[in-house]
Amino acid sequence: MSSSVVSLNDGRGPSATKDRILDAAEGLFMEHGFEATSLRSITAAAAVNLAAVNYHFGSKEELFQAVLTRRLDPMNQRRVALLDRFEREASPEPLSCERIIVALFVPALELARDPERGGKDFLRLLGRAYADPAPFIRRFLSEQYAQMIARFKTAFGRALPHLPKKELSWRLHFIMGALSYTLAGTDVLKLIAELNPKETSNDEILLRRLAPFLLAGLKAPLLDLSEVTREIDGALDASARR
Amino acid sequence: MSSSVVSLNDGRGPSATKDRILDAAEGLFMEHGFEATSLRSITAAAAVNLAAVNYHFGSKEELFQAVLTRRLDPMNQRRVALLDRFEREASPEPLSCERIIVALFVPALELARDPERGGKDFLRLLGRAYADPAPFIRRFLSEQYAQMIARFKTAFGRALPHLPKKELSWRLHFIMGALSYTLAGTDVLKLIAELNPKETSNDEILLRRLAPFLLAGLKAPLLDLSEVTREIDGALDASARR
DNA sequence: GTTTCGATCAAACGATCGTTTGAAGCCTAT
DNA sequence: ATAGGCTTCAAACGATCGTTTGATCGAAAC
């Protein structure tokens, strides 16, 4: 009948072994990637025994998934919750693209604002995971994102009824890709940090710039496609004839 | 005084040990990433001795750089050459954004068209390398891309004189990021391949869709920024007050 | 024919990897 | 106090890694 039923090793809840491992793994996976990060470096940073990872998580891969799911799951749930609320508020009129983008970006920004440490680390880790070739990572992310993406796709489809479904799928894919890649960038963030040392958060600046950029691409008329495509074809033909 | 001074192992030039290693490494690095690819798997796929890699390239890292530079260097040179030619043709008027984008995309498309095998593999590998956390990879790519990016930045600056330099830098970064990420995507490319089994090349389809999308973002007016940013701020404040 | 030098080979080096084992520790309930 | 549970611990397991070594081969130079 005490306060908590979970284990406690040194008397303080938040420093439990499992959480300390997750925190250390989050930072190290972000910094070096999955393959290049050893369990020994994680357990050393977390100041726990080497066997603790396999005991609590089963394997290195399951630890990685636990690191991702700890923050990714709530973030995606918050995204659809925000989208639901916006749709309720705007009902019966369809949502604007701007508000849909806001629902997509704000939960990430909340992580970038960093409740304490770790939020920004996680965003970078997520961006890197999105480009990792490991099959179990790609499978995991596909499952985690599938529902949310489908939900946003129908929302965008209502906001852009003139856009063919296929074209919308591609543009949404570009948006998620640019978002992931932007969050994964290391050099650029550090470069921005040097130029803007006093602004709130680097990830925040980045996302605020990215949102209008992607919004313009999303709302671009279909005319531009054939226009640029024709230019590309011309240049390709010219180079082929060369 | 014979035709070639380079070594030949089995009598045929194109199957020299060095090239066979590069070809095998290109495919395996793309499929599994740098860390997860062993030299033994590479030398086995190339049907050469294990020690051949260290003999010809020095180390695994140098092999990786050799794989990248073999195609990346010519591609970037072709990008600036195309840009130079377009500017000469349009002189004295400034280049349109469309044509600059074409100069950026066409060399990648030429690789996607795949002289024979390997071109598409390399594009995916390049996209993955762009998100790889390994310091030597990031350093290498920065150096390889620096000149070309600067060249295109001034070109875009001339085409968009109203756009602040800082905003342009960000948008160009988004473009390169979306391009890299798009090329790195595995699942989506396979999914597209199932839907469009008869069209020319998957990467080609992807790049043709991506170009108009990015072009719209690049040419987006600055007004949108404050507009969406205001919406984001509103949502963030509401969530903070929650 | 002898020498020479770059290329290839089998084999091993030391290091590090993820994982497992079995004993020891510690808190809870009986 | 005793028994039983999770948890932690030091130590080792087998496997695989990148790299190095020294011998062997083969074609060109003398």
Side-chain angles (χ1 to χ4, degrees):
Chain A
M1 98 225 359
S2 71
S3 61
S4 166
V5 74
V6 299
S7 70
L8 54 158
N9 51 355
D10 58 351
R12 300 303 305 268
S15 66
T17 300
K18 227 171 160 180
D19 288 331
R20 291 226 308 282
I21 292 177
L22 285 174
D23 289 337
E26 188 173 64
L28 288 172
F29 279 144
M30 171 214 62
E31 196 172 351
H32 306 110
F34 174 75
E35 299 281 352
T37 301
S38 68
L39 289 185
R40 284 169 174 83
S41 69
I42 294 175
T43 53
V48 301
N49 189 272
L50 169 62
V53 168
N54 287 297
Y55 176 78
H56 285 286
F57 299 95
S59 69
K60 186 185 178 185
E61 291 193 359
E62 290 172 281
L63 168 63
F64 188 81
Q65 297 185 16
V67 168
L68 283 186
T69 206
R70 177 171 65 148
R71 302 197 199 260
L72 183 56
D73 209 49
M75 184 179 80
N76 281 343
Q77 285 179 348
R78 217 168 129 44
R79 277 169 163 166
V80 306
L82 258 184
L83 189 60
D84 285 340
R85 209 191 70 191
F86 287 166
E87 278 186 338
R88 241 182 293 115
E89 291 174 356
S91 173
E93 295 180 39
L95 229 46
S96 69
C97 286
E98 282 80 359
R99 290 196 80 76
I100 304 178
I101 286 271
V102 167
L104 197 62
F105 273 55
V106 160
L109 273 176
E110 288 173 345
L111 263 186
R113 290 218 162 166
D114 204 18
E116 44 186 305
R117 64 143 180 214
K120 287 195 287 183
D121 282 4
F122 172 75
L123 287 180
R124 300 237 306 258
L125 171 61
L126 180 59
R128 293 205 194 287
Y130 224 86
D132 201 293
F136 86 95
I137 295 181
R138 307 203 69 82
R139 206 179 319 118
F140 173 79
L141 282 182
S142 298
E143 296 168 1
Q144 286 278 345
Y145 269 111
Q147 311 173 24
M148 183 212 65
I149 290 292
R151 181 73 184 76
F152 273 81
K153 193 185 288 185
T154 68
F156 276 124
R158 256 186 296 247
L160 302 165
H162 58 90
L163 207 63
K165 299 274 183 197
K166 205 184 236 179
E167 179 70 20
L168 176 61
S169 296
W170 262 310
R171 294 189 180 184
L172 193 49
H173 172 64
F174 296 151
I175 287 179
M176 294 309 297
L179 180 57
S180 302
Y181 175 82
T182 299
L183 295 176
T186 304
D187 331 292
V188 192
L189 286 182
K190 286 180 180 170
L191 191 131
I192 293 173
E194 297 168 2
L195 296 179
N196 306 47
K198 41 186 59 175
E199 295 200 43
T200 55
S201 159
N202 300 326
D203 300 82
E204 228 182 296
I205 300 173
L206 219 48
L207 289 185
R208 290 185 128 86
R209 300 269 176 170
L210 180 61
F213 179 90
L214 296 181
L215 194 56
L218 183 65
K219 293 163 76 172
L222 271 177
L223 300 174
D224 284 345
L225 193 151
S226 58
E227 181 183 340
V228 185
T229 298
R230 213 177 311 119
E231 278 213 55
I232 291 181
D233 283 330
L236 269 178
D237 289 346
S239 79
R241 268 186 274 99
R242 187 171 45 99
Chain B
M1 190 219 287
S2 73
S3 61
S4 165
V5 75
V6 300
S7 69
L8 54 158
N9 50 356
D10 58 353
R12 299 304 305 268
S15 67
T17 301
K18 229 172 158 180
D19 288 331
R20 290 227 309 281
I21 293 177
L22 284 174
D23 289 337
E26 187 172 67
L28 288 172
F29 279 144
M30 170 215 63
E31 195 172 352
H32 305 110
F34 174 76
E35 299 281 352
T37 302
S38 68
L39 289 184
R40 284 169 174 83
S41 69
I42 294 175
T43 54
V48 301
N49 188 271
L50 170 61
V53 169
N54 288 298
Y55 177 79
H56 285 286
F57 298 95
S59 67
K60 186 185 178 186
E61 292 194 357
E62 289 172 284
L63 168 63
F64 188 80
Q65 297 185 16
V67 169
L68 284 186
T69 206
R70 177 171 66 148
R71 302 197 199 258
L72 183 56
D73 208 48
M75 185 179 80
N76 282 342
Q77 285 180 347
R78 222 175 123 42
R79 279 169 162 167
V80 306
L82 258 184
L83 189 60
D84 284 340
R85 208 190 71 192
F86 286 166
E87 278 186 337
R88 240 181 296 115
E89 291 174 356
S91 174
E93 294 180 40
L95 230 47
S96 68
C97 286
E98 281 79 0
R99 287 196 82 76
I100 304 177
I101 286 272
V102 167
L104 196 62
F105 273 55
V106 160
L109 273 176
E110 289 173 345
L111 263 185
R113 291 220 161 165
D114 204 18
E116 44 186 303
R117 65 146 178 212
K120 288 195 285 183
D121 281 4
F122 172 75
L123 288 180
R124 300 236 309 255
L125 172 61
L126 179 60
R128 293 205 195 287
Y130 226 85
D132 200 293
F136 86 95
I137 296 180
R138 307 202 70 80
R139 204 179 320 119
F140 174 79
L141 283 182
S142 298
E143 296 167 1
Q144 288 277 344
Y145 269 110
Q147 312 172 23
M148 182 213 65
I149 289 291
R151 181 72 185 77
F152 273 80
K153 193 186 288 183
T154 70
F156 277 124
R158 255 186 296 248
L160 302 165
H162 59 89
L163 207 63
K165 299 273 183 196
K166 203 184 241 180
E167 179 69 20
L168 176 61
S169 296
W170 262 311
R171 294 188 179 184
L172 192 48
H173 172 65
F174 295 150
I175 287 179
M176 293 308 297
L179 180 57
S180 302
Y181 174 83
T182 299
L183 295 176
T186 304
D187 332 292
V188 191
L189 285 182
K190 286 180 180 168
L191 191 131
I192 293 172
E194 296 168 3
L195 296 179
N196 306 48
K198 41 187 59 179
E199 297 202 38
T200 55
S201 159
N202 301 326
D203 300 83
E204 228 183 295
I205 300 171
L206 219 48
L207 289 185
R208 290 184 128 87
R209 300 270 177 170
L210 180 60
F213 179 91
L214 296 180
L215 194 56
L218 183 64
K219 294 164 78 172
L222 271 178
L223 299 174
D224 284 347
L225 192 151
S226 58
E227 181 183 338
V228 185
T229 299
R230 213 178 310 119
E231 278 212 58
I232 291 181
D233 283 330
L236 270 179
D237 289 346
S239 78
R241 267 186 274 98
R242 190 170 44 99

